[in-house]
Amino acid sequence: QEGLEAKVLKVNGEIGFQERLCELGISPGARLNLKACLPFDGPLVMRVESTTLALRKEEAELIEVNL
């Protein structure tokens, strides 16, 4: 849901994926703000601190959050 804010609890997936997200600021304790959910199973656009990024739905599902 757009506008949703959540705290990252854990990033699952392969180590390379976890490292890439960590470099973008997505790591345990980070605050995410969901900006947009694009149609037709498109990417999710989110903001973490001063970074805005888009993740495929399959990638976003690997991020465990606490609302």
Side-chain angles (χ1 to χ4, degrees), residues 10-53:
K10 182 180 180 183
V11 178
N12 297 304
E14 297 180 8
I15 293 296
F17 175 72
Q18 292 177 26
E19 290 173 347
R20 181 171 67 94
L21 289 188
C22 187
E23 290 171 0
L24 294 170
I26 300 177
S27 59
R31 302 287 305 170
L32 294 177
N33 184 289
L34 187 59
K35 294 294 186 183
C37 298
L38 300 178
F40 308 109
D41 284 331
L44 282 74
V45 179
M46 58 189 73
R47 186 162 181 88
V48 144
E49 296 184 22
S50 62
T51 303
T52 301
L53 61 135

Side-chain angles (χ1 to χ4, degrees), residues 49-63:
E49 296 184 22
S50 62
T51 303
T52 301
L53 61 135
L55 292 177
R56 287 176 276 197
K57 185 178 178 183
E58 301 82 31
E59 295 173 329
E61 289 173 346
L62 295 173
I63 304 169

